[in-house]
């Protein structure tokens, strides 16, 4: 008699035990649903609902005060032909890419340096110090950064003046404003990528590192050939999240430069805010929001496509 | 004709939105302006205030007894709305309205009068004024008609002006003396101004002139003196019901209409381009720095630190500079210098009654209280603005704060009768955004004409959309 002909044990379970198991499963299901209910409700109310509402609104002309008028795809026609929206898309992409690249590079450098430190206390100190800016309100950060970078009375220009560099127009020239916005965003956001990279580097198997060392690889070669490929899934995750955040850049340019000078730092969220809340064109503003959502989805998709070739999964 | 047919109801839109709870929240707004019971009493009387909550609470503490006298069943509530400038304030007010928390009255300056009136958010005060004309006569006798006219739209009066500010020229007496420049007289010219700020700019660490990017008291003051404007200026017909009674026999009221009618944009006309280019050239010459965007708090701080020779300011600068620690004799004020004319611009403030208010009669009584001369120091203590009441322009008022030449604040209206309000059409928010964007563009590129061509297009689009 072959083994495969053996009867399954489950079928032999007595009826009262089947009933108990079924009750147990229902209880677990209820518990599971209860655990995720709050998240589902919050996502539905504060994320899915507004997205759906924005999508519906994008087909209407509505100034919030009078009754909305259905205008079909007119808002979308306007979005794709409005030079200020298209310019803001270019600005958002440019600033976003710069912020993400710098965030990844600085996050990685800092993580490598901190991981090389032997003392646990100093590691904890640096981890906390680099992560702290992320906890601060970006509006508050933007206000005090605006003062620091002010060309007339800013502390940064004061110290630069002491070494012979005078009156750097940080916020009053297009290039200066873009650089400042990127620097401030990178300063505040790098803590996020830094913490991810610290954790990822710590999980790199020591036997692989030891093998590389025995084979004569130096620290830089080990970083490039061993550590970075092994943490590439984390780099992909960090890049995707950072890009999504950067595409929604609002506080820093709105507070520090008011989107200027001219519209040099006017991002899509600023154009969207102005359209909706200042000019009371909520339909048009919603169409910009939907376009921004589509752009973010497309970029994220591209990042995942590129990851197929660049990311190494163990 | 709209090719997509007629408007749909809010209910249909909400149904279409399905789970769009955010939309549902916004949807409540449209109901705000529908229907009201003007005689309703008891409950809370809500007022919106442009400023911080601390000041709003201080105002509430002083104003609440007055409101209680009018209606003992009502509790006064004052909510502060912060913002860098009026467009920020209006964006937040409109958001509050959208959330279904429309107040009974709101403090609104010239910037928002036509916006509120054209959107049917505020009610005209005509009937109330006519009804109480006898008791209101002392008010109108004491308030210059140009301020009242600036609160009119399409022949109707929407606010009683409580305060105003003309764009005069403040200067540092210390820096003028240090540079060997004589203090300006009332008839000084743009050349006198230029010579003065050029000499002052030679003092190390000092700018001859500084300014802020905004609609009131910015390069727009130069534009008015140069005979230009951003929009074609005319007057609405109407208003005789007021001029013929409240201002009967007053020569200053002759020729007044039903409010300013802002027409086609003229933002790239030669006079306007020349004005902005003049400011850009001041920067290129090292006389003025790049200006900040916003309300001017930083500018007052720099002026108080004796780092600026001259800057455009109104009566509100008296309190601001005093609070910043400036001694009354270390600064002074003069009329704006004469260019093609000596026309000044001004902005005026008051309170409007929301159409959605269920306490309109009480709101009118509160407005009358707020418009009384004795209420001015309750609303705006410490010379943080200029009273609309001529009787309050006294030496005693400015004795502790300065400036010595305080008379120019009110005299601007009487000595320069062509002085007019800032161009604030119903699409003020779009105008303010475009003006700020194009001004900073002009400063960074050095090309006023190119930026103002852009502003012209922006304003044409905004006016068309409205």
């Amino acid at each position: 008699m072959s083994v495969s002909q053996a009867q399954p044990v489950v079928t032999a379970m007595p009826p009262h035990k089947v009933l108990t198991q079924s009750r147990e499963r229902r209880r677990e299901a209820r518990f599971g649903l209860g655990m995720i209910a709050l998240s589902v409700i919050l996502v539905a109310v504060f994320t899915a609902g507004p997205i759906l509402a924005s999508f519906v609104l994008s087909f209407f002309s509505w100034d919030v005060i009078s009754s909305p008028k259905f205008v079909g795809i007119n808002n979308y026609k306007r979005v794709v032909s409005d030079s200020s929206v298209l310019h803001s898309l270019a600005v958002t992409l440019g600033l976003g890419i710069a912020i993400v690249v710098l965030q990844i590079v600085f996050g990685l450098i800092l993580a490598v340096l901190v991981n090389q430190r032997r003392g646990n206390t100093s590691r904890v100190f640096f981890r906390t110090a680099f992560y702290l800016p992320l906890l601060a309100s970006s509006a508050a950060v933007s206000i005090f950064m605006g003062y620091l970078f002010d060309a007339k009375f800013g502390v940064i220009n004061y110290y630069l003046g002491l070494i012979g560099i005078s009156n750097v127009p940080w916020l009053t020239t297009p290039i200066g404003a873009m650089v400042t916005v990127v620097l401030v965003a990178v300063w505040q956001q790098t803590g996020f990528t830094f913490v991810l990279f610290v954790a990822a580097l710590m999980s790199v198997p020591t036997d692989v590192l030891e093998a590389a060392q025995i084979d004569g690889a130096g620290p830089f070669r080990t970083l490039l050939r061993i550590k970075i490929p092994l943490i590439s899934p984390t780099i992909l995750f960090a890049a995707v999240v950072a890009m999504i955040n950067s595409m929604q850049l609002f506080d820093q340019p709105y507070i520090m430069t008011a989107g200027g000078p001219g519209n040099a730092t006017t991002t899509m969220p600023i154009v969207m805010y102005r359209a909706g809340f200042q000019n009371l064109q909520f339909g048009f503003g919603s169409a910009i929001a939907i376009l921004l959502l589509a752009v973010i989805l497309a970029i994220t998709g591209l990042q995942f496509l590129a990851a197929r070739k660049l990311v190494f999964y163990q | 004709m709209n090719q997509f047919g007629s408007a749909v109801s809010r209910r249909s839109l909400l149904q279409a939105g399905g789970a769009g709870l955010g939309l549902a929240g916004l949807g409540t707004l449209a109901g705000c302006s529908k229907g009201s019971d003007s005689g309703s009493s008891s409950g809370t009387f809500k007022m919106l205030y442009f400023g911080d909550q601390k000041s709003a609470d201080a105002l509430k503490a002083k104003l609440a007894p007055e409101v209680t006298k009018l209606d003992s069943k009502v509790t006064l509530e004052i909510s502060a709305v912060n913002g860098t400038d009026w467009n920020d304030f209006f964006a937040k007010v409109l958001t509050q309205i959208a959330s279904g928390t429309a107040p009974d009255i709101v403090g609104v300056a010239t910037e928002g009068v036509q916006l509120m009136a054209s959107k049917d958010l505020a009610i005209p005060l005509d009937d109330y004024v006519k009804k109480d004309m006898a008791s209101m006569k002392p008010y109108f006798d004491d308030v210059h008609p140009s301020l009242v006219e600036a609160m009119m739209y399409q022949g109707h009066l929407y606010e009683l002006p409580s305060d105003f500010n003309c764009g005069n020229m403040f200067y540092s007496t210390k820096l003028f003396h240090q540079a060997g420049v004589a203090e300006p007289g009332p008839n000084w010219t743009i050349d006198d101004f230029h010579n003065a700020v050029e000499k002052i700019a030679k003092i190390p660490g000092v700018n001859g002139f500084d300014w802020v990017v905004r609609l009131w008291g910015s390069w727009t003051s130069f534009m008015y003196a140069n005979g230009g404007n951003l929009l074609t200026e005319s007057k609405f017909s109407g208003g005789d019901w007021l001029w013929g009674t409240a201002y009967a026999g007053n020569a200053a009221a002759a020729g007044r209409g039903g409010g300013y009618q802002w027409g086609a944009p003229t933002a790239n006309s030669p006079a306007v381009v020349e004005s902005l280019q003049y400011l850009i050239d001041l920067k290129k010459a090292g006389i003025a720095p790049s200006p900040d965007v916003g309300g001017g708090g930083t500018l007052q701080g720099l002026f108080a630190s004796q780092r600026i020779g001259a800057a455009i300011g109104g009566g509100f600068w008296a309190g601001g500079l005093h609070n910043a620690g400036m001694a009354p004799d270390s600064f002074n004020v003069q009329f704006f210098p004469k260019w093609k004319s000596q026309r000044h611009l001004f902005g005026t403030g008051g309170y409007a009654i929301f159409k959605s208010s269920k306490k309109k009669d009480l709101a009118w009584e509160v407005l009358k209280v707020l418009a009384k001369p004795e209420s001015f120091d309750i609303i705006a203590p410490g010379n943080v603005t200029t009273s609309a009441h001529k009787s309050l322009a006294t030496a005693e008022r400015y004795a502790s704060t300065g400036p010595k030449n305080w008379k120019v604040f009110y005299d601007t209206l009487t000595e320069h009768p062509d002085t007019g309000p800032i161009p604030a059409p119903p699409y003020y928010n779009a105008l303010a955004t475009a003006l700020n964007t194009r001004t900073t563009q002009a400063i960074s590129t050095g090309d006023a004409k190119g930026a103002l061509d852009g502003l012209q297009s922006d304003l044409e689009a905004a006016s068309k959309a409205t």
Side-chain angles (χ1 to χ4, degrees):
Chain A
M1 196 172 111
S2 70
V3 177
S4 62
Q5 287 172 324
Q7 292 295 313
V9 178
V10 179
T11 54
M13 191 180 282
H16 72 276
K17 279 204 171 184
V18 172
L19 196 65
T20 307
Q21 197 173 45
S22 158
R23 203 174 289 155
E24 186 66 25
R25 277 184 187 161
R26 279 205 298 274
R27 193 182 301 147
E28 277 183 16
R30 276 201 300 273
F31 180 73
L33 283 174
M35 291 299 284
I36 63 166
L38 186 62
S39 297
V40 169
I41 290 168
L42 288 176
V43 168
V45 171
F46 294 109
T47 306
I51 289 174
L52 186 62
S54 290
F55 183 68
V56 173
L57 258 184
S58 68
F59 296 102
F60 287 81
S61 169
W62 195 30
D63 67 357
V64 194
I65 294 153
S66 41
S67 293
K69 279 184 182 173
F70 181 70
V71 294
I73 59 168
N74 271 12
N75 287 325
Y76 287 97
K77 283 182 182 171
R78 190 178 155 196
V79 163
V80 295
S81 62
D82 190 311
S83 60
S84 64
V85 176
L86 298 178
H87 182 269
S88 72
L89 175 59
V91 169
T92 310
L93 282 171
L95 294 177
I97 290 168
I99 289 167
V100 172
V101 169
L102 291 175
Q103 216 174 303
I104 299 285
V105 170
F106 284 130
L108 192 57
I109 291 171
L110 292 174
V112 169
L113 292 176
V114 169
N115 263 23
Q116 279 175 349
R117 294 194 72 85
R118 292 191 179 160
N120 198 38
T121 313
S122 64
R123 273 195 204 182
V124 171
F125 171 77
F126 283 115
R127 269 185 233 162
T128 311
F130 293 137
Y131 194 76
L132 265 182
L134 196 64
L135 303 179
S137 145
S138 56
V141 165
S142 303
I143 290 171
F144 81 72
M145 285 292 185
Y147 284 119
L148 291 182
F149 281 100
D150 192 284
K152 294 178 221 171
F153 56 82
V155 174
I156 290 172
N157 269 5
Y158 170 76
Y159 284 111
L160 288 176
L162 295 181
I163 56 168
I165 304 168
S166 60
N167 286 334
V168 180
W170 292 108
L171 301 171
T172 52
T173 57
I175 295 292
M178 284 191 275
V179 168
T180 311
V181 166
V182 168
L183 284 178
V184 172
V186 169
W187 176 80
Q188 194 175 12
Q189 301 291 334
T190 297
F192 172 71
T193 48
F194 162 76
V195 166
L196 288 179
F197 293 155
V198 165
L201 286 169
M202 287 172 76
S203 67
V204 173
T206 49
D207 53 344
V208 179
L209 297 176
E210 284 166 4
Q213 209 173 6
I214 291 165
D215 288 345
F220 189 66
R221 199 176 175 82
T222 306
L223 175 67
L224 279 186
R225 301 284 179 166
I226 308 291
K227 288 181 180 173
I228 289 182
L230 285 175
I231 68 164
S232 56
T234 307
I235 295 176
L236 170 68
F237 173 74
V240 168
V241 173
M243 195 66 199
I244 291 171
N245 281 336
S246 300
M247 293 296 289
Q248 298 172 60
L249 191 68
F250 178 84
D251 300 23
Q252 293 89 345
Y254 188 77
I255 292 170
M256 291 198 300
T257 64
N263 47 17
T265 54
T266 303
T267 57
M268 279 186 84
I270 291 179
V271 175
M272 190 171 69
Y273 170 76
R274 285 176 179 165
F277 292 96
Q278 291 194 330
N279 300 341
L280 297 180
Q281 298 170 345
F282 279 87
F284 181 50
S286 297
I288 299 171
I290 297 299
L291 173 66
L292 180 61
L293 177 67
V295 170
I296 291 174
L297 287 175
I299 291 173
T300 307
L302 283 176
Q303 283 177 305
F304 277 106
L305 276 179
R308 286 184 184 174
K309 288 190 176 177
L310 300 174
V311 175
F312 172 76
Y313 290 101
Q314 281 179 285
Chain B
M1 184 182 155
N2 183 351
Q3 59 178 312
F4 297 103
S6 59
V8 295
S9 68
R10 288 194 311 285
R11 181 181 294 273
S12 308
L13 184 67
L14 291 175
Q15 285 168 345
L21 296 177
L23 178 61
L26 293 174
T28 55
L29 168 67
C32 292
S33 61
K34 306 287 188 294
S36 64
D37 174 10
S38 62
S40 174
S41 189
S42 79
T44 307
F45 183 81
K46 293 180 186 170
M47 173 176 164
L48 277 188
Y49 170 86
F50 185 17
D52 57 77
Q53 193 56 49
K54 191 182 168 192
S55 306
D57 289 342
L59 174 60
K60 182 187 166 185
K62 290 176 181 169
L63 197 61
E66 300 296 326
V67 175
T68 306
K69 276 184 210 166
L70 295 170
D71 189 335
S72 58
K73 295 174 190 165
V74 159
T75 308
L76 175 67
E77 183 184 300
I78 303 180
S79 300
V81 179
N82 257 315
T84 53
D85 212 335
W86 281 100
N87 53 337
D88 247 7
F89 172 76
F90 294 131
K92 290 173 185 173
V93 168
L94 292 167
T95 312
Q96 283 205 13
I97 298 166
S99 68
T101 53
D104 294 289
I105 62 172
V106 60
V108 178
T110 313
E111 284 87 340
V113 173
Q114 297 203 0
L115 188 157
M116 299 275 294
S118 66
K119 295 284 181 194
D120 211 18
L121 290 171
I123 60 161
L125 304 177
D126 305 8
D127 292 340
Y128 286 117
V129 172
K130 286 175 192 167
K131 176 174 70 76
D132 290 342
M133 185 58 84
S135 63
M136 291 297 295
K137 195 71 174 65
Y139 168 84
F140 290 114
D141 286 345
D142 201 22
V143 174
H144 198 277
S146 60
L147 303 179
V148 175
E149 190 182 29
M151 292 300 198
M152 297 180 88
Y153 180 65
Q154 296 182 338
H156 303 291
L157 180 67
Y158 282 87
E159 295 182 45
L160 300 173
S162 60
D163 61 295
F164 76 104
N165 285 287
C166 293
N168 302 126
M169 189 67 79
F170 276 72
Y171 60 92
S172 159
T173 50
K174 181 189 165 191
L175 293 175
F176 266 61
H177 294 154
Q178 195 176 332
V181 181
E183 290 190 36
N187 301 316
W188 69 323
T189 65
I190 192 81
D191 292 334
D192 298 330
F193 164 79
H194 193 93
N195 291 335
V197 294
E198 194 173 34
K199 284 181 184 169
I200 291 165
K202 287 176 182 158
I203 301 171
V206 170
N207 286 301
F209 175 73
D210 199 358
W211 53 294
V212 284
V213 179
R214 62 186 306 206
L215 184 57
W216 184 94
S218 178
W219 64 273
T220 46
S221 278
F222 288 86
M223 178 181 77
Y224 266 46
N226 200 27
N229 209 329
L230 298 175
L231 306 171
T232 309
E233 186 180 330
S234 62
K235 303 262 181 83
F236 286 111
S237 58
D240 295 339
W241 63 271
L242 181 67
W243 307 124
T245 50
Y247 286 94
N250 186 331
R256 303 275 171 199
Y260 282 79
Q261 185 170 19
W262 302 109
T266 52
N268 57 355
S269 62
V272 178
V273 173
E274 187 183 18
S275 310
L276 181 53
Q277 192 61 52
Y278 176 70
L279 271 288
I280 292 169
D281 292 343
L282 284 186
K283 177 182 170 275
K284 285 180 182 169
I287 296 169
S290 283
D292 294 325
V293 177
T298 306
L299 183 66
Q300 280 188 29
L302 288 169
F303 186 91
S305 312
Q306 298 287 4
R307 290 183 58 184
I308 299 170
I312 301 163
F316 67 103
W317 268 54
L321 296 178
H322 175 73
N323 293 337
M326 213 168 185
D329 58 350
S330 61
F331 69 97
N332 209 344
V333 65
Q334 189 49 273
F335 291 126
F336 196 84
K338 183 180 178 183
W339 198 341
K340 289 196 180 80
S341 74
Q342 211 164 354
R343 187 186 197 207
H344 290 60
L345 51 67
F346 73 79
T348 178
Y351 294 86
I353 301 175
F354 265 89
K355 192 174 180 182
S356 57
S357 171
K358 293 190 188 316
K359 302 179 179 68
K360 291 191 182 73
D361 293 345
L362 174 62
W364 167 245
E365 295 302 323
V366 173
L367 254 62
K368 284 197 293 183
V369 168
L370 291 167
K372 285 180 180 173
E374 50 269 36
S375 297
F376 178 69
D377 287 318
I378 294 175
I379 303 167
N383 291 344
V384 292
T385 185
T386 318
S387 173
H389 290 272
K390 171 88 170 148
S391 60
L392 293 185
T394 61
E396 187 189 359
R397 170 165 298 277
Y398 293 99
S400 60
T401 63
K404 195 176 160 189
N405 202 16
W406 53 268
K407 278 188 177 175
V408 302
F409 297 145
Y410 215 100
D411 285 355
T412 305
L413 298 174
T414 53
E415 301 290 314
H416 299 286
D418 58 346
T419 291
I422 48 173
Y427 55 94
Y428 160 74
N429 273 0
L431 180 144
T433 302
L435 178 76
N436 292 352
T437 301
R438 298 300 181 177
T439 301
T440 55
Q441 178 192 335
I443 295 158
S444 64
T445 60
D447 175 19
K449 178 71 170 67
L452 291 175
D453 283 343
L455 180 59
Q456 177 74 10
S457 304
D458 295 342
L459 296 183
E460 282 169 357
S463 63
K464 197 177 161 189
T466 308

